[in-house]
Amino acid sequence: MWQTGLGLVAAAGAWTSWDLLRPGEARGFGGKVRAIPPESVPDTGVIEVPAARSYLVRIDGEVRALSRKCTHLGCGVPWCESSGQFECPCHGSVFNRAGEFRAGPAPRGMDQHPVEVGVDGLIYIDTGTTEEGPAPGVETIDEPPTGPSCAEESHG
Ligand code: FES
């Protein structure tokens, strides 16, 4: 019986090694995280990819992955449906749908991870690589707030 058990452990070890060495395969946060087909990313709104701690957005036809980690002190930044912008609940930093800085103490826009489309036709988010978000004052999209901010709603 124990021999069978050892065999299973060895097989599991071999599988794990093989899995790690396969190029382009999906891994957890810190590696390339497999998401959805690019055509599933809408032209408006955002798609959250929890395993990548990121949001996928389409800006001018291009798919980008925005890190949800606030560039101020690292809180998770939620998307606010009513205002159509990202609003950090910790100290009030606000970013537009492209992750560009709008307000608050954050030093720059939301950081990004590179994306690529794998041979399986799905987006892979490279969470092992982080590109710094744009400097404040840069807004390349014309998407003003669409309604009340979530911060206002939660405070009354
Ligand atoms: S951590 Fe987001 S505003 Fe401070």
Side-chain angles (χ1 to χ4, degrees):
M1 184 61 193
W2 62 271
Q3 280 178 328
T4 310
L6 278 184
L8 284 175
V9 169
W15 172 254
T16 302
S17 305
W18 168 240
D19 204 39
L20 287 174
L21 291 172
R22 286 161 78 186
E25 270 302 294
R27 296 200 287 272
F29 186 76
K32 291 183 179 176
V33 176
R34 184 170 48 210
I36 57 176
E39 56 271 22
S40 299
V41 182
D43 289 328
T44 58
V46 308
I47 301 262
E48 185 167 9
V49 183
R53 301 176 197 171
S54 301
Y55 300 93
L56 288 173
V57 297
R58 183 184 296 279
I59 306 295
D60 294 331
E62 176 201 355
V63 174
R64 301 180 193 172
L66 305 176
S67 167
R68 77 175 180 204
K69 184 178 172 184
C70 185
T71 52
H72 181 221
L73 293 178
C75 288
V77 184
W79 170 251
C80 176
E81 277 300 334
S82 59
S83 69
Q85 53 191 6
F86 294 98
E87 298 178 2
C88 185
C90 291
H91 315 98
S93 288
V94 178
F95 310 89
N96 70 15
R97 197 174 63 86
E100 295 158 344
F101 174 88
R102 272 203 173 138
R108 62 181 183 276
M110 295 165 76
D111 293 340
Q112 295 188 28
H113 299 300
V115 293
E116 62 188 30
V117 178
V119 290
D120 53 6
L122 300 174
I123 294 171
Y124 285 75
I125 303 172
D126 183 1
T127 61
T129 304
T130 301
E131 298 162 354
E132 284 203 347
V138 177
E139 279 214 57
T140 60
I141 60 171
D142 182 21
E143 295 185 16
T146 53
S149 88
C150 292
E152 287 166 21
E153 281 185 345
S154 63
H155 292 126

